[in-house]
Amino acid sequence: MAVSGAFMLLYLVLHMVGNLKIFLGPEAIDGYAAWLRTILEPAVPFEGTLWLVRAVLTVSIVAHIWSATVLTLRARRARPVRYAVRNKVAGSYAARTMRWGGVIVLLFVIYHLLDLTTGTLNPHGVHLQVYANLHADFTPERWYVTVFYVLAVVSVGIHIRHGLWSGLQTLGWSTNAREKKLKGFSTVFAVVLTAGFLSVPLAVTFGLV
Ligand code: HEM
């Protein structure tokens, strides 16, 4: 879970920073999208690097879901008889929100790909016209799309806050002395990532770009 999560996290950081190009204008963000397709050219063919990243992400998503399923089944097997009295402890609350949170994030990603990658669900939906696609998506008349994105991105943030902290523990970086610092780091990381992502739909809806 930790290793596949780390790949997806790295992608999300780059994706969020790339999205901020919208604040530099249409040429900047559309040019950036075009550049993404030419990385390592001519050593690598057109879109070659992009497809490599897509392959790594796909393997990471499958590995992440597979690990989550194995862990859930193992937890169930370890406790086949349910507790008669179940106190709400912090650990089990986090685990529950991670499972359902993960499903919500996955559904959002499927919608998001149909919206901004294939353009199928986007009112403009023209390949490589990222600025126009984003404006068509988050125009004030379609405020409900912005609200949906805000809720989805906050779910991503919550998932990452707990996931990053769990991952750092899995990788053995957490000691008693470091626990508080790593928890704080995970929270700050998730908040910055979430704020960066949210800034784009909100800026479009409120007419700032
Ligand atoms: C709310 C802020 C977000 C905006 C404005 C945004 C925007 C975009 C745009 C414009 C594209 C198409 C880029 C291109 O074709 O060059 C894209 C692709 C993508 N986005 Fe986002 N995104 C956001 C949040 C997210 C989040 C939170 C995730 C993951 C949880 C995500 C995952 C992806 C993925 C996997 C792709 C496909 C990349 C590819 O294979 O071409 N995005 N996004």
Side-chain angles (χ1 to χ4, degrees), residues 32-155:
Y32 173 69
W35 171 78
L36 286 175
R37 270 105 186 142
T38 62
I39 299 174
L40 296 182
E41 255 188 6
V44 171
F46 180 71
E47 289 199 341
T49 308
L50 183 63
W51 278 103
L52 182 70
V53 171
R54 286 172 175 167
V56 172
L57 278 180
T58 307
V59 172
S60 299
I61 290 172
V62 172
H64 211 68
I65 295 172
W66 183 75
S67 311
T69 311
V70 169
L71 287 175
T72 305
L73 294 178
R74 199 182 289 169
R76 274 207 198 130
R77 259 203 311 274
R79 181 75 232 180
V81 181
R82 285 183 167 261
Y83 289 106
V85 178
R86 190 162 174 189
N87 293 326
K88 297 243 182 260
V89 292
S92 66
Y93 173 76
R96 261 202 316 275
T97 52
M98 285 311 275
R99 283 170 203 155
W100 283 109
V103 173
I104 290 169
V105 172
L106 181 65
L107 293 176
F108 162 71
V109 170
I110 295 170
Y111 172 84
H112 183 54
L113 291 178
L114 292 171
D115 178 15
L116 287 165
T117 299
T118 65
T120 322
L121 298 177
N122 189 285
H124 187 66
V126 179
H127 188 54
L128 291 182
Q129 291 189 10
V130 177
Y131 190 87
N133 289 341
L134 289 172
H135 265 269
D137 223 7
F138 303 125
T139 170
E141 293 80 61
R142 281 168 45 100
W143 57 269
Y144 48 90
V145 175
T146 305
V147 171
F148 168 69
Y149 263 81
V150 168
L151 294 177
V153 169
V154 170
S155 306

